[in-house]
Amino acid sequence: MKIPFILALAAMALAPAAAADRLVILHTNDTHSRILPDETDGLGGVARRKVLVDSVRAAEDHVILVDAGDAVQGTLFFNLYGGEVEQRLMNALDYDLRILGNHEFDNGTDSLARILRYADAEFLSTNYDLSDSPLEGKFHKYAIREVEDRKIGFIALNLRPEGIIAPGNYDGVEYLDAIEAANAAAWWLKHVEGCDMVVALTHIGYDPGISPSDVDVARQTSDIDIIIGGHSHDLIAPGDPSKPCLIPNREGRDVLVAQTGKGGKVLGEITIDLDDLTSSYRLIPVDSRLDSRSDGSVEALLKPYRAGVDSLMERGVGRTAVELPQASDALLNFCTDFILTRGRELAPDVDFAMLNRGGIRRGLPKGKITEGEIITMLPFNNRVQVIDIKGSDILSALLQMARIGGSGVSDGVRVTYEPWTKEKDAALVSVTVDGRPLDPDRTYRVATIDYMANGGDYMPTLANHTQVASSPEEVYKDLIAYLEGHPKLRINPSPERRMNPVR
């Protein structure tokens, strides 16, 4: 992971001198249970993050640490302990303000309410009505922090649950329009509460195909000064013209939009000059330079939880012939073809399989692969499901896959499409199954996962199906059983891209 625009600071040694006339906001998003450094690039790790946070607090008079959601789901620490570890570690770093991401709902609202009992931070949610859910009373609509003689207001904007959070996992949560809520709350903070600045913590994405996004919020509001976002895993770098961090609002005034990618590999730092209310922004790498400065507190807190994680990461269940990076077409093909294999075990005459690329959360190394690696690759509580569904509904789902640059279809399916741009929608050019055009009027038998079959990942037409069969186990358990049942298998999938944009 190259971050050429960041000056590699030696954390404490080069920390700026203390200043009473500024506020520093440190921010994270989409850390996804990445408690230890990433195995592939060595970046990240909560112990290192704590070194940076502590060094800034030691150097500055006024520091606020915030998180923009999806602190959970992505490693075995969440699969085994359900979010408890993440809450305890965020307490150790003394987070001040936090908001929800969509993955906080992965185990449902009852589980989320129980887990948040471990959390010390103040939680915000401006555009979710939680009064009919187990989360009632645990969130504030906004927060105000007084720094010197200035008042800084904070609001929280969340995405629409429908289409991205599994049905049943957000029961009792009512979504309120994010733009309307942002305008109303920011106006109240500025004109009634007397705030000098308003900061929006968001989990809606920088500029996704599904509106509203951070860019939309910036452009369609008047009283928001800073947006600290999450969800889309964008690394918003100062000076990067492809993803500007300054977006004019509806009155032409620039709004600072920040996001730190995913996995806690960088720490965002926004410095507000309390005299003239201007802001500066940088990203700080979370890397091995910081290891020697760790105070050991994070390691001590993790010790009771490490044995379960380590045992799963050591037990071999199969082998690969080649390395399979997370974003590779080869890994996507392998996972989708397994869905087809499992589907054909569950029901006869399955035509093909579909799988969302976003459900694959890590790659596999060359050689031995472990139980823990399979679980973290496919960590969700999804099950293989076989459905009968009309071709026209499949085409609508494939169009949504095309909008995000393609996703998983099994061998024998080929799709070409015109890609989505800001000027025009994506369009399917050709869809064939075993060399024949997909017939919109025919009913096909498709293997997929229940999340997609219920309309997840913004593919609502997949819910227009008749269920044929469903696995009693999660996908990762099925895959582990399959690999253990084929000990001579050396995984070496085709790297061919099955969904292709028009050249």
Side-chain angles (χ1 to χ4, degrees):
M1 180 180 182
K2 295 182 179 180
I3 315 174
F5 48 83
I6 298 175
L7 179 63
L9 300 180
M12 298 178 69
L14 298 181
D21 59 351
R22 64 186 177 216
L23 167 66
V24 175
I25 302 176
L26 300 177
H27 60 96
T28 55
N29 62 271
D30 298 273
T31 50
H32 283 298
S33 302
R34 284 288 172 185
I35 290 164
L36 305 175
D38 188 272
E39 303 96 329
T40 56
D41 57 24
L43 293 175
V46 176
R48 295 170 178 173
R49 192 192 317 162
K50 187 175 187 298
V51 172
L52 288 175
V53 172
D54 288 349
S55 68
V56 174
R57 285 187 174 133
E60 297 286 347
D61 288 346
H62 308 297
V63 180
I64 297 176
L65 177 61
V66 304
D67 183 78
D70 275 4
V72 299
Q73 185 62 274
T75 72
L76 293 173
F77 286 102
F78 182 71
N79 293 88
L80 292 177
Y81 306 112
E84 174 184 334
V85 183
E86 294 85 343
Q87 312 311 318
R88 292 190 185 279
L89 287 173
M90 294 180 90
N91 291 345
L93 270 67
D94 198 16
Y95 273 79
D96 296 285
L97 298 171
R98 292 176 55 189
I99 73 169
L100 296 174
N102 50 298
H103 285 292
E104 266 77 22
F105 290 95
D106 278 0
N107 292 334
T109 51
D110 287 324
S111 174
L112 177 56
R114 288 194 300 271
I115 287 300
L116 291 187
R117 290 183 300 184
Y118 293 105
D120 294 338
E122 180 178 359
F123 278 82
L124 304 181
S125 183
T126 304
N127 69 315
Y128 280 171
D129 182 348
L130 303 170
S131 57
D132 290 331
S133 80
L135 302 172
E136 181 185 13
K138 299 180 183 295
F139 290 76
H140 296 136
K141 290 294 183 183
Y142 61 83
I144 298 173
R145 294 294 186 267
E146 296 190 23
V147 185
E148 298 295 326
D149 59 347
R150 297 293 195 179
K151 295 175 72 175
I152 312 297
F154 292 84
I155 63 173
L157 304 177
N158 289 98
L159 48 72
R160 184 187 301 274
E162 184 180 3
I164 192 67
I165 301 175
N169 283 0
Y170 60 94
D171 289 348
V173 177
E174 181 183 355
Y175 172 82
L176 308 174
D177 183 87
I179 301 291
E180 293 180 4
N183 271 307
W187 183 91
W188 178 270
L189 286 170
K190 280 278 181 80
H191 301 283
V192 177
E193 297 286 358
C195 289
D196 298 285
M197 297 186 76
V198 173
V199 179
L201 307 179
T202 76
H203 197 86
I204 56 179
Y206 173 75
D207 193 15
I210 305 296
S211 294
S213 66
D214 289 336
V215 172
D216 296 325
V217 170
R219 288 174 176 165
Q220 297 178 42
T221 59
S222 299
D223 294 308
I224 292 174
D225 301 281
I226 296 172
I227 296 173
I228 297 174
H231 183 57
S232 56
H233 298 177
D234 285 301
L235 191 67
I236 307 301
D240 181 356
S242 67
K243 297 174 183 176
C245 65
L246 295 177
I247 305 294
N249 69 5
R250 63 185 182 187
E251 296 176 354
R253 182 172 53 83
D254 280 341
V255 178
L256 172 62
V257 181
Q259 192 180 152
T260 64
K262 65 176 181 177
K265 297 180 181 183
V266 299
L267 178 69
E269 181 187 79
I270 297 170
T271 301
I272 299 172
D273 187 314
L274 296 173
D275 290 330
D276 59 14
L277 297 179
T278 58
S279 302
S280 61
Y281 168 48
R282 68 170 179 162
L283 300 172
I284 309 173
V286 181
D287 59 25
S288 59
R289 298 172 300 105
L290 305 166
D291 289 340
S292 63
R293 299 182 183 275
S294 174
D295 62 9
S297 60
V298 168
E299 292 82 353
L301 194 155
L302 280 178
K303 187 175 181 180
Y305 304 100
R306 287 294 298 266
V309 170
D310 291 345
S311 65
L312 291 178
M313 292 302 292
E314 292 168 359
R315 194 176 83 82
V317 295
R319 298 190 69 83
T320 59
V322 294
E323 181 183 3
L324 298 171
Q326 179 184 353
S328 67
D329 291 307
L331 183 62
L332 179 64
N333 292 343
F334 167 70
C335 292
T336 311
D337 289 345
F338 172 71
I339 299 297
L340 178 62
T341 297
R342 181 65 179 124
R344 286 175 171 169
E345 293 174 346
L346 294 168
D349 304 321
V350 176
D351 294 296
F352 61 91
M354 301 172 66
L355 181 66
N356 59 326
R357 184 186 289 271
I360 302 173
R361 308 303 280 197
R362 65 156 292 156
L364 296 176
K366 179 181 178 180
K368 174 185 172 181
I369 53 176
T370 67
E371 181 177 9
E373 288 168 335
I374 295 297
I375 296 172
T376 53
M377 181 179 73
L378 299 167
F380 305 111
N381 295 325
N382 299 321
R383 298 166 191 263
V384 176
Q385 198 166 92
V386 178
I387 60 176
D388 285 344
I389 184 168
K390 196 172 181 180
S392 57
D393 290 323
I394 296 170
L395 289 171
S396 295
L398 291 173
L399 177 59
Q400 175 57 25
M401 287 183 168
R403 290 187 180 109
I404 62 171
S407 211
V409 291
S410 58
D411 192 25
V413 179
R414 296 295 181 270
V415 180
T416 58
Y417 62 90
E418 294 180 357
W420 178 90
T421 68
K422 292 182 179 180
E423 290 72 34
K424 66 174 184 177
D425 196 3
L428 297 176
V429 175
S430 171
V431 180
T432 61
V433 180
D434 296 327
R436 294 183 293 273
L438 189 143
D439 183 352
D441 296 319
R442 176 187 157 184
T443 296
Y444 289 84
R445 181 157 291 181
V446 176
T448 186
I449 56 174
D450 52 359
Y451 173 68
M452 291 177 63
N454 289 326
D457 251 10
Y458 303 112
M459 290 179 273
T461 60
L462 289 185
N464 301 330
H465 69 263
T466 300
Q467 182 175 319
V468 177
S470 183
S471 174
E473 300 288 357
E474 291 88 349
V475 176
Y476 63 81
K477 292 181 181 178
D478 282 342
L479 180 53
I480 290 168
Y482 174 80
L483 293 173
E484 291 182 324
H486 297 79
K488 295 183 178 181
L489 176 66
R490 298 296 180 264
I491 300 170
N492 190 13
S494 167
E496 179 185 6
R497 192 174 179 88
R498 296 169 181 172
M499 292 191 69
N500 288 284
V502 175
R503 300 296 181 187

